[in-house]
PDB file of all heavy atoms in Angstrom:
ATOM      1  N   ALA A  31     -54.863  27.507 -45.603  1.00  0.00           N
ATOM      2  CA  ALA A  31     -55.309  26.155 -45.942  1.00  0.00           C
ATOM      3  C   ALA A  31     -54.545  25.099 -45.152  1.00  0.00           C
ATOM      4  O   ALA A  31     -55.151  24.208 -44.550  1.00  0.00           O
ATOM      5  CB  ALA A  31     -55.183  25.910 -47.436  1.00  0.00           C
ATOM      6  N   ALA A  32     -53.239  25.166 -45.116  1.00  0.00           N
ATOM      7  CA  ALA A  32     -52.435  24.151 -44.413  1.00  0.00           C
ATOM      8  C   ALA A  32     -52.741  24.128 -42.914  1.00  0.00           C
ATOM      9  O   ALA A  32     -53.001  23.047 -42.361  1.00  0.00           O
ATOM     10  CB  ALA A  32     -50.958  24.368 -44.675  1.00  0.00           C
ATOM     11  N   PRO A  33     -52.717  25.283 -42.227  1.00  0.00           N
ATOM     12  CA  PRO A  33     -53.041  25.218 -40.796  1.00  0.00           C
ATOM     13  C   PRO A  33     -54.456  24.714 -40.502  1.00  0.00           C
ATOM     14  O   PRO A  33     -54.667  23.980 -39.538  1.00  0.00           O
ATOM     15  CB  PRO A  33     -52.881  26.666 -40.315  1.00  0.00           C
ATOM     16  CG  PRO A  33     -51.980  27.306 -41.290  1.00  0.00           C
ATOM     17  CD  PRO A  33     -52.243  26.627 -42.592  1.00  0.00           C
ATOM     18  N   VAL A  34     -55.401  25.075 -41.344  1.00  0.00           N
ATOM     19  CA  VAL A  34     -56.775  24.631 -41.111  1.00  0.00           C
ATOM     20  C   VAL A  34     -56.892  23.127 -41.298  1.00  0.00           C
ATOM     21  O   VAL A  34     -57.528  22.434 -40.495  1.00  0.00           O
ATOM     22  CB  VAL A  34     -57.758  25.398 -42.020  1.00  0.00           C
ATOM     23  CG1 VAL A  34     -59.136  24.754 -42.014  1.00  0.00           C
ATOM     24  CG2 VAL A  34     -57.845  26.850 -41.582  1.00  0.00           C
ATOM     25  N   PHE A  35     -56.259  22.585 -42.331  1.00  0.00           N
ATOM     26  CA  PHE A  35     -56.283  21.131 -42.524  1.00  0.00           C
ATOM     27  C   PHE A  35     -55.592  20.425 -41.364  1.00  0.00           C
ATOM     28  O   PHE A  35     -56.056  19.400 -40.879  1.00  0.00           O
ATOM     29  CB  PHE A  35     -55.623  20.733 -43.852  1.00  0.00           C
ATOM     30  CG  PHE A  35     -56.479  21.028 -45.046  1.00  0.00           C
ATOM     31  CD1 PHE A  35     -55.943  21.685 -46.140  1.00  0.00           C
ATOM     32  CD2 PHE A  35     -57.804  20.650 -45.097  1.00  0.00           C
ATOM     33  CE1 PHE A  35     -56.717  21.961 -47.252  1.00  0.00           C
ATOM     34  CE2 PHE A  35     -58.592  20.916 -46.201  1.00  0.00           C
ATOM     35  CZ  PHE A  35     -58.045  21.577 -47.288  1.00  0.00           C
ATOM     36  N   MET A  36     -54.479  20.977 -40.912  1.00  0.00           N
ATOM     37  CA  MET A  36     -53.771  20.353 -39.793  1.00  0.00           C
ATOM     38  C   MET A  36     -54.599  20.446 -38.515  1.00  0.00           C
ATOM     39  O   MET A  36     -54.638  19.495 -37.736  1.00  0.00           O
ATOM     40  CB  MET A  36     -52.408  20.998 -39.593  1.00  0.00           C
ATOM     41  CG  MET A  36     -51.575  20.254 -38.580  1.00  0.00           C
ATOM     42  SD  MET A  36     -49.887  20.767 -38.655  1.00  0.00           S
ATOM     43  CE  MET A  36     -49.357  20.272 -37.042  1.00  0.00           C
ATOM     44  N   LEU A  37     -55.257  21.560 -38.293  1.00  0.00           N
ATOM     45  CA  LEU A  37     -56.109  21.699 -37.106  1.00  0.00           C
ATOM     46  C   LEU A  37     -57.249  20.690 -37.148  1.00  0.00           C
ATOM     47  O   LEU A  37     -57.612  20.106 -36.113  1.00  0.00           O
ATOM     48  CB  LEU A  37     -56.650  23.124 -37.008  1.00  0.00           C
ATOM     49  CG  LEU A  37     -57.380  23.476 -35.715  1.00  0.00           C
ATOM     50  CD1 LEU A  37     -56.488  23.285 -34.502  1.00  0.00           C
ATOM     51  CD2 LEU A  37     -57.880  24.908 -35.780  1.00  0.00           C
ATOM     52  N   THR A  38     -57.780  20.441 -38.314  1.00  0.00           N
ATOM     53  CA  THR A  38     -58.827  19.426 -38.462  1.00  0.00           C
ATOM     54  C   THR A  38     -58.289  18.044 -38.100  1.00  0.00           C
ATOM     55  O   THR A  38     -58.950  17.274 -37.399  1.00  0.00           O
ATOM     56  CB  THR A  38     -59.367  19.422 -39.907  1.00  0.00           C
ATOM     57  OG1 THR A  38     -59.861  20.728 -40.205  1.00  0.00           O
ATOM     58  CG2 THR A  38     -60.458  18.395 -40.088  1.00  0.00           C
ATOM     59  N   ALA A  39     -57.085  17.732 -38.564  1.00  0.00           N
ATOM     60  CA  ALA A  39     -56.470  16.443 -38.234  1.00  0.00           C
ATOM     61  C   ALA A  39     -56.219  16.322 -36.734  1.00  0.00           C
ATOM     62  O   ALA A  39     -56.479  15.273 -36.135  1.00  0.00           O
ATOM     63  CB  ALA A  39     -55.162  16.282 -39.007  1.00  0.00           C
ATOM     64  N   VAL A  40     -55.719  17.384 -36.125  1.00  0.00           N
ATOM     65  CA  VAL A  40     -55.425  17.353 -34.687  1.00  0.00           C
ATOM     66  C   VAL A  40     -56.699  17.155 -33.883  1.00  0.00           C
ATOM     67  O   VAL A  40     -56.743  16.335 -32.959  1.00  0.00           O
ATOM     68  CB  VAL A  40     -54.687  18.643 -34.254  1.00  0.00           C
ATOM     69  CG1 VAL A  40     -54.627  18.768 -32.744  1.00  0.00           C
ATOM     70  CG2 VAL A  40     -53.278  18.664 -34.827  1.00  0.00           C
ATOM     71  N   THR A  41     -57.762  17.878 -34.217  1.00  0.00           N
ATOM     72  CA  THR A  41     -59.002  17.735 -33.457  1.00  0.00           C
ATOM     73  C   THR A  41     -59.635  16.353 -33.661  1.00  0.00           C
ATOM     74  O   THR A  41     -60.166  15.774 -32.712  1.00  0.00           O
ATOM     75  CB  THR A  41     -60.013  18.844 -33.813  1.00  0.00           C
ATOM     76  OG1 THR A  41     -60.228  18.859 -35.226  1.00  0.00           O
ATOM     77  CG2 THR A  41     -59.533  20.195 -33.351  1.00  0.00           C
ATOM     78  N   SER A  42     -59.525  15.814 -34.850  1.00  0.00           N
ATOM     79  CA  SER A  42     -60.030  14.458 -35.094  1.00  0.00           C
ATOM     80  C   SER A  42     -59.230  13.441 -34.286  1.00  0.00           C
ATOM     81  O   SER A  42     -59.791  12.501 -33.703  1.00  0.00           O
ATOM     82  CB  SER A  42     -59.951  14.108 -36.578  1.00  0.00           C
ATOM     83  OG  SER A  42     -60.767  14.968 -37.325  1.00  0.00           O
ATOM     84  N   PHE A  43     -57.925  13.631 -34.232  1.00  0.00           N
ATOM     85  CA  PHE A  43     -57.077  12.726 -33.468  1.00  0.00           C
ATOM     86  C   PHE A  43     -57.356  12.845 -31.970  1.00  0.00           C
ATOM     87  O   PHE A  43     -57.337  11.846 -31.251  1.00  0.00           O
ATOM     88  CB  PHE A  43     -55.600  13.002 -33.777  1.00  0.00           C
ATOM     89  CG  PHE A  43     -54.669  11.993 -33.186  1.00  0.00           C
ATOM     90  CD1 PHE A  43     -54.770  10.649 -33.498  1.00  0.00           C
ATOM     91  CD2 PHE A  43     -53.672  12.391 -32.312  1.00  0.00           C
ATOM     92  CE1 PHE A  43     -53.903   9.718 -32.941  1.00  0.00           C
ATOM     93  CE2 PHE A  43     -52.802  11.476 -31.759  1.00  0.00           C
ATOM     94  CZ  PHE A  43     -52.920  10.132 -32.076  1.00  0.00           C
ATOM     95  N   LEU A  44     -57.632  14.052 -31.503  1.00  0.00           N
ATOM     96  CA  LEU A  44     -58.003  14.228 -30.095  1.00  0.00           C
ATOM     97  C   LEU A  44     -59.277  13.462 -29.764  1.00  0.00           C
ATOM     98  O   LEU A  44     -59.415  12.899 -28.668  1.00  0.00           O
ATOM     99  CB  LEU A  44     -58.161  15.710 -29.757  1.00  0.00           C
ATOM    100  CG  LEU A  44     -56.868  16.442 -29.432  1.00  0.00           C
ATOM    101  CD1 LEU A  44     -57.107  17.952 -29.379  1.00  0.00           C
ATOM    102  CD2 LEU A  44     -56.271  15.957 -28.127  1.00  0.00           C
ATOM    103  N   LEU A  45     -60.199  13.406 -30.701  1.00  0.00           N
ATOM    104  CA  LEU A  45     -61.423  12.628 -30.496  1.00  0.00           C
ATOM    105  C   LEU A  45     -61.092  11.139 -30.379  1.00  0.00           C
ATOM    106  O   LEU A  45     -61.622  10.443 -29.509  1.00  0.00           O
ATOM    107  CB  LEU A  45     -62.412  12.878 -31.634  1.00  0.00           C
ATOM    108  CG  LEU A  45     -63.747  12.153 -31.536  1.00  0.00           C
ATOM    109  CD1 LEU A  45     -64.515  12.589 -30.293  1.00  0.00           C
ATOM    110  CD2 LEU A  45     -64.569  12.404 -32.777  1.00  0.00           C
TER     111      LEU A  45
END
Side-chain angles (χ1 to χ4, degrees):
V34 168
F35 285 132
M36 188 166 158
L37 189 59
T38 302
V40 168
T41 54
S42 297
F43 188 59
L44 277 169
L45 181 62

